[in-house]
Amino acid sequence: MRHEDMLTARSLVKSYGGVRALDGADIRLRGGEVHALVGENGAGKSTLVRILSGTLAADEGSVRLADRAREGGIAVVSQELSLFPDLTVRENLFPHRPPRRFGLLDRGAMDRAARPVLAELGLDVAPGALLGELPLADQQLTEVARALLRRPRVLVLDEPTSALPAAAVNRLEQVLRTLTGRGIAVLYVTHFLEEVMRFAHRVTVLRDGRVTLAGVRGEEIGVPDLVKAMLGAAPPPPVRRERAPDDGPPPVVLSEVCVPGRLTDVTFTVRAGEVVGVAGLQGAGHLDALAVVCGRTAISAGRVGVGDRGLPRSLRDAIRAGVAFVPSDRKRFGLMTDRTVWENTTAVSWLALGRGGVIPSRAELVRRTADLTGRLRLRGGPHDVVAQLSGGNQQKVVFAKWLATDPRIVVLDDPTRGVDVGVRAEMHAIVGELAAGGAAVLVASTDLAELTEVCDRVLVFVRGRITAEVSGGRLTEHGLAAAMQSGADARSDGSGGPGTPEIAGDPGS
C-alpha cells in the first residue's frame, strides 16, 4: 500500500569511543516514496544506514519494520559495488543459493526470474554477458536488480550516482519511478542536492549525528535551505591577505583538456604567487585535473603547459618541470616510514633531481634536512625514524621533502588530513609562504573550511567539468557547498577563462 510506514527509527544513538556518530536520530520511510538522506562527510549517514540494514547495532533507540516490510526486508545497494566483474550477469544476480535442478545450476530458471526485473529497470543485457565488460551504469543497475530479486519492501541506494554520467542519472530517474510505483520505500543517500530536489518526495538532513530537517516534503524546501541545514548558519567570510599574482606567463595552463570518462573541456590557469583550490564531490574530476598536472594521467584532447614544458608524461617528468606533489595518503605514497627523516627529506631532490652529485655528502644532506625541519618547526631530529613521529610531524616531513626541490608549482591533495588544529595552522602558513615566494599552488581538500582559508579562488567541478569559480566574499563553506552540490552555473565576465563560469566577490566590489 502506498504511503504506508515501512520503517520507523526513533532516537538512535551510536558512539565510537568518545565520539557520537548518531545522537538521537529519527527517520520514517513510507512505501511509494523516495526519501533522501543528506549531510556532510562525517554527519552520520553511513552509521544510520548500517543500523537500519541490521549490520550494526545501535547503542540506544529502536528500529521497527511494518509487517509488510518484514516479508521482503531491507536491501542495500552500496556506493562501492559488491559485484564480481569476472562472472556473468546471471552469476552476479544469484550469488547465494541459486536455483538448481538435479544438483546442477538451473540457468533457465535463473534467466526466467531475472528477465522481468532487468526489463523493469530498462537493462537490456544478456544474462550470460560478463559483468566487467558492461558500462559502469549497467553494472550499477545490475546491483539494483540483484537487490530487487530479493523482493524487498525497503531499498537503500547509497550514493548511486557518484560515478555515473548524466545520461545514466536520467535513466535512474525512471528506475526510481518504477520502484516507488511498486510501493517500495526508497532511502536515497546522496551528496548531490540537485538530485534531492529532482527525485525526493521527502528529505532528512543530518549534521553531527543529529537530524536538522526531518522528513520535509521536497517541494517545501530549496537548495539554500538544505545547505543551511547541513552546515548551520553561515559564518562571516574569512579575512584573507591580499596577494598579487605574477603577471608573467602562468606556470600552469590547461586548455580544453579531456580525459575519457573523467574530464571534459577543462580550462584554467594558475599564476605564480596564487593559491587556487579545486573542489568537487567524489568522482567530480577535480582530483583528475591534479593528476594531469602531476603527470599521472594522460589526456585525450586539449593542451597542457606545466612550468616551461608541455604535458608531463610521468611524475618524474613533472618533478623535473618544477612540480611538487603532496598526496593525501602520506603513509602509502608520501613517506618511507621505516627510514630516517633525512633520508625521506632528501629522497626527491637527490634521487629524482640529482642534486648533491652521484654520491652526495651525508653530512650535507643531514644539514639541509635540519634547515628545512627547523623552518617547519618539526619535533624530531634528522636521524629519527619517521614511523616514530606523530602524524602532524610526519606530514611536515612530506612538506620538507618537496620544499627541498625548490618547486615552482605545488600540488596539495588534502594537505592537513589527520593532523591537529595547531599543525593545520602551521601548514596553512607554509602554503601562504610558498605563494608569497612565487610558487603556483593548487589545493584539493575534503575540508571546505580549509579551501576558504588558504585559497584565492576555488574551481568547482561537477561531472568532469568546471561549473563555477568561487572567489572574494562568496568564498565561504556555504558558497562552495551550494556550488558543488547543486552544480551551480553562475556566469559573469570574470577572468575564469572559457568554460569557467565565475562566482565572484561581493556584489559591487
Side-chain angles (χ1 to χ4, degrees), residues 111-130:
D111 292 352
R112 286 191 295 274
R115 283 196 178 102
V117 176
L118 296 177
E120 193 173 33
L121 297 178
L123 189 53
D124 185 17
V125 297
L130 277 180

Side-chain angles (χ1 to χ4, degrees), residues 293-366:
V293 173
C294 294
R296 299 168 60 233
T297 294
I299 67 174
S300 60
R303 183 175 64 87
V304 176
V306 174
D308 297 327
R309 308 184 183 198
L311 174 68
R313 302 297 177 183
S314 64
L315 182 56
R316 181 182 291 270
D317 195 21
I319 292 170
R320 289 171 176 164
V323 176
F325 172 55
V326 177
S328 60
D329 191 336
R330 60 178 173 265
K331 290 187 177 180
R332 288 184 62 196
F333 303 116
L335 294 170
M336 300 177 289
T337 56
D338 59 339
R339 310 303 284 270
T340 63
V341 171
W342 76 262
E343 288 173 301
N344 276 273
T345 300
T346 59
V348 177
S349 59
W350 170 33
L351 296 177
L353 298 177
R355 295 178 183 174
V358 178
I359 306 178
S361 163
R362 174 171 169 168
E364 176 62 18
L365 295 180
V366 171

Side-chain angles (χ1 to χ4, degrees), residues 267-269 457 459 466 469 492-502:
T267 295
F268 67 86
T269 62
R457 55 191 174 97
L459 307 174
I466 297 177
E469 179 179 304
S492 75
D493 294 327
S495 58
T500 310
E502 182 175 16

Side-chain angles (χ1 to χ4, degrees), residues 481-499:
M484 288 167 55
Q485 300 181 51
S486 66
D489 196 15
R491 296 182 183 276
S492 75
D493 294 327
S495 58

Side-chain angles (χ1 to χ4, degrees), residues 31 40 42 97 103 130 141 199 235 261 300 323 338 372 398 427 431 479:
E40 281 214 289
R97 291 192 289 274
L130 277 180
L141 287 177
F199 299 153
S300 60
V323 176
D338 59 339
L372 284 168
V398 178
M427 295 293 100
V431 172

Side-chain angles (χ1 to χ4, degrees), residues 239-243 428-429 432-433 456:
V239 177
R240 297 184 182 83
R241 290 178 293 178
E242 292 295 327
R243 278 190 286 261
H428 289 178
E433 291 170 7
D456 300 306

